[in-house]
């Protein structure tokens, strides 16, 4: 198939934030006839609902056809990109319909009459949207999610079917790559439990900020525990990777160790700024633990892509292919790691076999054959791996799937920057959160692409939750 992102016109992806994302059942012959009739009406003759549905479906059909022709025939002769129909004036009517459907429980009718769209809602997001940076799909199909950015006070919710319950006393959590253990931030440390709210297996102390300093260096201790950007328990349930802007640490019972900034980084800072206090602040901090527990990939805006082993020794240093390291992810079998670096809303993702780790060192922008580029264009915020493909979410609201050798297999548009992604054990259900306050539940390999949906894969969004400010309740669409 080739690399879809490389093939598509840059303008299509630059406009990602204004594209529609819809989903639902396929259109039958009667519905197609209705749409044909509606399309012959003028704007003044259509009701708001008719205009929303008709123009949304037409645009989705046009943009999907445009992409398919471009991939099949090349972009030189594909023609003009379909124009966004501009339905912002119908946003209030659409949201009124969403509220009525949630009050009455008529969700199927809602999806049929008012197919999900993103672009018409953009002007509402500044005052409505909540960031959803972390979520977790349970084996029973329920979803745990944090509502609100990790840098501010927020809350955790548990979604079960059509119901949402607040989880008192928990603000930050994370799960291990083998999905068994869960880490929960508490006042006294990071608690590791066997399953969500299961029995405690380990309590890890918070770092003081004085760990692993250069010899003879002094620094002020942290005034409070750092706010976690990520909490990732190790597969043995006895350690947790803490990613924060105050540093990246591995915590265990009674011990905290710093990975970043490294001792060498701190010594360089001391040498360059001998009269300044040590600085620990990180930006774009991120980390990943391999499912077998042997490897740790970490990074931040000013680093490369350092890799540590289970003894917390740095054993590889991989050069970034774009300006700022931004994301890392291991495959389910721990045999491959993908590493993303970004520049503005674009990015480059490279991959390398973990068998090369001991002693692997590459320079930045070197196009090293040991760390080939497997995806170009995406600033990656979240990702998962299932057999045969990595699935990542980017700054433009797209899910992108590709193999470890760089073949892009499908793409799927949701809208807004992706916050987090989780996948079921069987690889058939994907849950995705965004910075717009959406949680999307997607059936993978559904067999066909619904008429309401922009994308190239045979996947179907089953439900979209809206966690918005100033609403009486979370809303199902």
């Amino acid at each position: 198939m080739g690399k879809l992102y490389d093939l598509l016109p840059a303008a299509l992806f630059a406009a990602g934030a204004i594209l529609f994302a819809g989903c639902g059942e396929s259109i039958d012959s009667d519905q197609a006839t209705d749409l044909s009739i509606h399309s012959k009406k003028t704007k003044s003759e259509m009701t708001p609902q008719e205009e929303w549905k008709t123009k949304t479906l037409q645009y989705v059909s046009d943009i999907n056809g445009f992409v398919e022709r471009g991939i099949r025939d090349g972009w030189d002769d594909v023609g003009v990109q379909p124009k966004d129909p501009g339905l912002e004036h119908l946003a209030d009517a659409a949201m009124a319909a969403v509220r009525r459907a949630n009050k009455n429980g008529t969700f199927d009718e809602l999806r049929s009459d008012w197919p999900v769209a993103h672009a018409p809602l953009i002007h509402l997001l500044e005052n409505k949207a909540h960031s959803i940076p972390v979520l977790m799909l349970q084996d029973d199909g329920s979803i745990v999610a944090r509502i609100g950015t990790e840098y501010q006070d927020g809350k955790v919710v548990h979604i079960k079917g059509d119901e949402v319950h607040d989880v008192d006393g928990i603000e930050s959590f994370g799960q291990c790559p083998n999905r068994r253990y869960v880490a929960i931030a508490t006042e006294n440390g990071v608690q590791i439990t066997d399953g969500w709210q299961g029995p405690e297996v380990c309590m890890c102390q918070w770092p003081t900020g004085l760990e692993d300093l250069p010899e003879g260096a002094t620094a002020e201790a942290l005034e409070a525990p750092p706010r976690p950007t990520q909490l990732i328990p190790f597969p043995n349930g006895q350690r947790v990777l803490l990613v924060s802007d105050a540093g990246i640490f591995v915590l265990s019972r009674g011990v905290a160790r710093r990975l970043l900034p490294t001792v060498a980084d701190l010594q360089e800072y001391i040498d360059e700024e001998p009269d300044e206090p040590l600085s620990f602040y990180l930006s774009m901090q991120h980390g990943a633990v391999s499912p077998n527990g042997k490897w740790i990939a970490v990074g931040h805006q000013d680093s490369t892509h350092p890799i540590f082993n289970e003894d917390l020794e740095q054993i590889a240093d991989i050069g970034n292919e774009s300006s700022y390291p931004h994301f890392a992810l291991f495959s389910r079998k721990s045999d491959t790691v993908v590493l993303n670096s970004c520049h503005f809303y674009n990015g480059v993702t490279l991959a390398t076999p973990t068998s090369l780790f001991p002693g692997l060192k590459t320079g930045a922008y070197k196009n090293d054959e040991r760390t080939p580029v497997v995806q170009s264009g995406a600033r990656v915020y979240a990702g998962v791996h299932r057999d045969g493909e990595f699935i990542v979410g980017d700054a433009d609201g797209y899910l992108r799937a590709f193999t470890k050798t760089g073949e892009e297999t499908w793409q799927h548009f949701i809208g807004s920057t992706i916050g987090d992604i989780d996948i079921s054990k069987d690889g058939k259900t994907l849950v995705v959160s965004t910075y717009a306050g959406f949680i999307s539940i997607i059936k993978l390999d559904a067999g066909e692409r619904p008429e309401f949906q922009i994308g190239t894969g045979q996947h179907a969004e089953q439900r979209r939750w809206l966690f918005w400010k100033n609403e009486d309740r979370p809303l199902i669409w």
Side-chain angles (χ1 to χ4, degrees):
M1 179 179 292
K3 294 187 177 181
L4 298 177
Y5 195 102
D6 292 342
L7 293 170
L8 293 177
L12 178 61
F13 289 92
I18 64 170
L19 295 177
F20 289 89
C23 45
E25 299 300 323
S26 298
I27 300 175
D28 59 28
S29 58
D30 292 336
Q31 288 174 310
T33 300
D34 290 342
L35 287 175
S36 178
I37 293 171
H38 290 325
S39 66
K40 296 176 183 178
K41 295 181 179 181
T42 66
K43 178 178 177 181
S44 60
E45 291 174 327
M46 285 191 285
T47 67
Q49 182 272 320
E50 289 173 336
E51 184 180 359
W52 179 282
K53 180 174 182 176
T54 301
K55 293 186 175 181
T56 297
L57 294 180
Q58 187 62 59
Y59 180 72
V60 169
S61 176
D62 290 347
I63 200 70
N64 280 333
F66 177 80
V67 172
E68 288 167 3
R69 291 193 303 275
I71 293 172
R72 183 184 66 241
D73 303 328
W75 296 104
D76 291 341
D77 301 318
V78 74
V80 179
Q81 179 180 325
K83 184 179 179 181
D84 169 18
L87 298 179
E88 293 84 356
H89 64 288
L90 298 177
D92 289 342
M95 291 310 303
V98 171
R99 296 183 191 101
R100 285 195 302 272
N102 277 263
K103 181 178 179 180
N104 300 326
T106 53
F107 303 120
D108 291 340
E109 291 88 341
L110 172 66
R111 281 240 159 168
S112 176
D113 293 342
W114 297 86
V116 173
H118 176 65
L121 308 179
I122 289 175
H123 68 286
L124 302 177
L125 297 181
E126 182 175 356
N127 296 320
K128 288 282 191 179
H130 275 297
S131 172
I132 306 177
V134 183
L135 56 68
M136 180 170 56
L137 178 62
Q138 301 290 287
D139 290 343
D140 63 2
S142 66
I143 301 167
V144 181
R146 174 184 164 86
I147 311 301
T149 176
E150 58 268 65
Y151 299 110
Q152 299 173 334
D153 292 339
K155 67 177 181 179
V156 171
V157 299
H158 197 175
I159 305 168
K160 299 180 180 180
D162 295 346
E163 298 182 352
V164 179
H165 304 278
D166 290 351
V167 180
D168 294 333
I170 299 177
E171 287 199 2
S172 300
F173 67 90
Q175 67 176 339
C176 72
N178 64 17
R179 306 182 61 83
R180 176 175 178 178
Y181 296 105
V182 176
I184 297 171
T186 74
E187 182 179 351
N188 297 320
V190 179
Q191 181 189 47
I192 301 177
T193 62
D194 194 348
W196 173 246
Q197 295 188 307
E200 179 182 308
V201 295
C202 187
M203 176 63 81
C204 304
Q205 71 178 43
W206 289 112
T208 65
L210 304 179
E211 293 82 6
D212 298 285
L213 299 179
E215 185 176 356
T218 59
E220 294 184 3
L222 295 171
E223 295 181 358
R227 284 182 178 266
T229 305
Q230 293 173 272
L231 288 172
I232 308 174
F234 282 66
N236 63 6
Q238 298 301 304
R239 299 196 293 181
V240 61
L241 181 68
L242 164 65
V243 179
S244 76
D245 61 14
I248 300 177
F249 301 86
V250 173
L251 312 181
S252 58
R253 195 187 309 271
V255 178
R257 293 288 311 278
R258 184 196 309 275
L259 298 185
L260 295 182
T262 64
V263 173
D265 292 336
L266 295 174
Q267 185 61 58
E268 182 179 357
Y269 183 87
I270 292 171
D271 294 341
E272 293 179 354
E273 303 287 347
D275 298 325
E276 296 293 328
L278 275 177
S279 174
F280 300 101
Y281 181 79
L282 304 181
S283 181
M284 299 185 187
Q285 65 276 9
H286 58 276
V289 176
S290 63
N292 63 9
K294 291 184 177 181
W295 317 113
I296 310 164
V298 291
H300 63 95
Q301 175 176 290
D302 298 320
S303 73
T304 54
H305 297 293
I307 307 294
F308 292 79
N309 64 15
E310 57 191 328
D311 296 322
L312 311 187
E313 300 165 330
Q314 185 175 343
I315 45 80
D317 189 15
I318 300 170
N320 42 299
E321 290 294 333
S322 189
S323 300
Y324 310 112
H326 196 255
F327 181 77
L329 175 67
F330 288 92
S331 62
R332 282 192 170 185
K333 293 183 179 180
S334 303
D335 59 351
T336 304
V337 65
V338 293
L339 303 162
N340 176 260
S341 51
C342 67
H343 187 73
F344 293 105
Y345 270 48
N346 299 312
V348 177
T349 301
L350 52 80
T352 190
T354 56
S355 60
L356 299 179
F357 276 171
L360 178 63
K361 184 176 178 59
T362 67
Y365 309 102
K366 294 298 184 182
N367 195 25
D368 195 296
E369 63 181 10
R370 295 169 296 177
T371 59
V373 172
V374 292
Q375 208 286 329
S376 297
R379 173 172 174 161
V380 177
Y381 278 77
V384 293
H385 180 262
R386 65 172 182 166
D387 292 342
E389 63 185 5
F390 291 92
I391 304 170
V392 300
D394 71 12
D396 288 321
Y398 279 90
L399 301 178
R400 307 192 183 281
F402 54 89
T403 69
K404 66 181 181 180
T405 57
E407 179 185 11
E408 294 208 18
T409 51
W410 54 268
Q411 56 189 338
H412 178 112
F413 180 74
I414 295 175
S416 183
T417 299
I418 303 301
D420 199 12
I421 305 176
D422 198 9
I423 192 169
S424 59
K425 284 184 177 179
D426 62 9
K428 295 181 179 180
T429 302
L430 200 70
V431 292
V432 184
S433 67
T434 78
Y435 280 59
F438 303 151
I439 292 180
S440 175
I441 303 173
I442 301 168
K443 181 180 179 182
L444 296 177
D445 307 318
E448 60 181 352
R449 182 182 66 225
E451 297 290 333
F452 300 82
Q453 188 170 287
I454 287 176
T456 62
Q458 303 299 301
H459 315 301
E461 183 183 274
Q462 305 293 298
R463 169 165 291 186
R464 183 173 297 200
W465 284 92
L466 277 65
F467 286 85
W468 277 10
K469 302 172 186 175
N470 305 316
E471 296 289 343
D472 292 339
R473 67 178 88 177
L475 299 171
I476 295 170
W477 193 338

